[in-house]
Amino acid sequence: PFRQYYRDNENLDVESVGKGEHASMEDVKFFAESLAEYKRQHEETKNIVENMSVGMLLCDASKLKQKMLPSPMKCLEAINDRLPKLARQKNDALIETTQGATSKLEVVPSSTIEFVESLTFLDEIQEKTQEIEEEANVIRALYDLIEKYNVPAPPEDVAVYQTLTPSVNNMLQAIDKSLADRDANIEKFCSHLDKDIATLGKEVKAVKLQAQNTAILDPSSDMEEVLKTLEDLHSTMNDLQEKATEYKSYQKQFKVDVTRFDELEETHAEVRMKQQLWESLKSWDVVTADWFEKKFEELNPEDITQKVQKYAKSVMQMERGLPPNGVVPLLKEKVDDMKSKVPVITNLRNQSLKQRHWEEIETTLSSKFDPAQDTLATLQTLDG
C-alpha cells in the first residue's frame, strides 16, 4: 500500500479543484476525503518500525520511512494551501452576489425603465434562490472542513465568512418584500408607462403635422429638400416605432393590456409612402436617362418591361394611399410615356429583324438609324 499511495500522491492536482463558476459538493467531497486520507497516510508512515527482526534477519525500514514520510505531508500542504483560498474566493463571490441583489431589490423605482429593470430582476433572482442557497451550503461545508482539520486560514477570511449567512438572509428577506410589493409596483409601472405612451402620441402627432406640409406633395418643391425632410421624418418615426415595440414588450412581459398604436402605424405608413414617391421620381429619372443614353442594341427589353411594370404598380399604390396631389400624376405621366415606348423597343430589338426590315424602318423614319451607334434618344427625335 505504501508504494501505491506514494505513486498516487505524486500525481495529485489540487489546482484543478473548484475551477467552475460555482462551488459544488463534489469539491467538498474531494477535500474531505483528501484530508482524511493524507492524515491517515501520515500516521501509518510515522508508525513504520525502522528495525525489525524477521527470523534470522534484521530488516532496516529507516530509508523507506524517510522516503515515504514527506509524501502525505506534501499533499496535506497542497490541500491546506488550496482549501482556504477556494473557500475565500467562493465566499467573496457569493457575498458580492447577495449584497448586490439586495441593493437592487431595495431601490425604489421612479421611471418606467426602472420599474421594468426592478420587476425583471425580481423574477430573475427569484429563480436563482435555490442555487444561491445550495452554494452557501457548499461554502459552509468548506469552512467546516477548515475548522475540523485545523487547516490554517487567515483570521480575516473567517471573519468575512461570518457575514455570509446574514447576507443570504438579507437577500431572501428583500425578495419576500419585493414579491409582496409586486402587484403595487406593476400598477405604478402601468401608470408611468401610460405617461410615456401619451408623450409618444404627442411626438407622433408632431411628425404627422410636419408630414402634411403642402410642400411635400407640391411638384414645384425642391426634390432634394423634400427628400431630406422626409428622411428626417422617417428616421424619427423609426425611433418612435422602436419605442412603441419596446412598450408593448413590457406590457406582454408583465401580462397587462397591450396598447394599440394605430396613429403611429398610419403616420409611419404615410411618411414612408411620401418618401417612396419622391425616391421613385428621382430614381425614375436616373433609370430612364441610362436607357436613353445607351446604344440601342444594348437595351434589354425584358429589363425595361420589368422596371416599367414595377413603377406602374407603385404609382397605383400611391394613387390609392395618398391624397390628391400633383406629384403622383407627374410620375404617372413619365411612367406611362415610357410604357407606350416598350412595345416599339421590344419589336426593334427583335433578333429576327433582317436588313430589309431595317430599310423599311428607315423609310418610315425618313432617316438612317444604326442600332449599334444610335440611342433611344435618337430614335425618339426621329419619331418626333
Side-chain angles (χ1 to χ4, degrees), residues 68-96:
M68 295 299 301
L69 201 55
S71 179
M73 289 305 297
K74 179 181 176 183
C75 293
L76 277 172
E77 288 173 2
I79 293 292
N80 289 347
D81 178 67
R82 176 65 176 153
L83 175 54
K85 289 180 180 177
L86 178 65
R88 175 61 189 264
Q89 174 191 341
K90 300 301 182 183
N91 186 62
D92 286 351
L94 191 57
I95 287 176
E96 182 179 354

Side-chain angles (χ1 to χ4, degrees), residues 350-365:
N350 190 326
Q351 300 301 314
S352 300
L353 287 178
K354 306 298 183 185
Q355 181 59 36
R356 59 187 175 81
H357 296 132
W358 282 108
E359 289 173 358
E360 291 178 13
I361 292 168
E362 290 174 347
T363 300
T364 302
L365 294 172

Side-chain angles (χ1 to χ4, degrees), residues 61-219:
S62 58
K63 290 185 178 180
L64 171 64
K65 184 175 183 178
Q66 183 181 1
K67 177 73 173 177
M68 295 299 301
L69 201 55
S71 179
M73 289 305 297
K74 179 181 176 183
C75 293
L76 277 172
E77 288 173 2
I79 293 292
N80 289 347
D81 178 67
R82 176 65 176 153
L83 175 54
K85 289 180 180 177
L86 178 65
R88 175 61 189 264
Q89 174 191 341
K90 300 301 182 183
N91 186 62
D92 286 351
L94 191 57
I95 287 176
E96 182 179 354
T97 296
T98 54
Q99 289 181 346
T102 302
S103 297
K104 285 185 178 181
L105 292 167
E106 289 176 345
V107 169
V108 179
S110 59
S111 66
T112 300
I113 189 61
E114 287 179 5
F115 274 103
V116 171
E117 290 173 351
S118 178
L119 290 165
T120 301
F121 181 74
L122 174 60
D123 292 340
E124 291 172 350
I125 197 66
Q126 192 181 359
E127 292 178 358
K128 294 180 180 177
T129 52
Q130 183 177 347
E131 179 184 302
I132 289 172
E133 289 181 293
E134 289 174 355
E135 186 156 5
N137 288 333
V138 171
I139 294 169
R140 292 185 188 104
L142 291 175
Y143 275 98
D144 286 346
L145 287 176
I146 290 173
E147 182 179 3
K148 178 179 178 181
Y149 289 96
N150 295 316
V151 176
E156 58 270 24
D157 288 10
V158 178
V160 173
Y161 163 65
Q162 299 302 323
T163 67
L164 175 63
T165 297
S167 294
V168 173
N169 290 338
N170 288 341
M171 182 200 72
L172 294 175
Q173 290 170 8
I175 290 174
D176 289 341
K177 183 179 184 304
S178 295
L179 287 172
D181 296 340
R182 189 175 189 276
D183 289 345
N185 281 334
I186 286 183
E187 287 185 14
K188 293 176 183 177
F189 152 75
C190 290
S191 176
H192 280 81
L193 183 59
D194 287 344
K195 293 177 182 177
D196 291 342
I197 290 173
T199 300
L200 185 145
K202 292 177 183 177
E203 292 175 350
V204 170
K205 288 182 185 299
V207 173
K208 186 173 184 177
L209 187 63
Q210 294 178 64
Q212 292 176 345
N213 186 329
T214 55
I216 290 178
L217 291 180
D218 185 345

Side-chain angles (χ1 to χ4, degrees), residues 30 57 97 100 112 148 158 179 213 238 260 268 277 284 289 291 337 339 349 360 369 375:
F30 168 81
L57 299 176
T97 296
T112 300
K148 178 179 178 181
V158 178
L179 287 172
N213 186 329
N238 283 340
R260 290 176 60 88
H268 203 174
L277 169 60
W284 176 261
W291 291 339
D337 179 58
K339 190 175 181 180
R349 288 290 293 119
E360 291 178 13
F369 182 77
T375 64

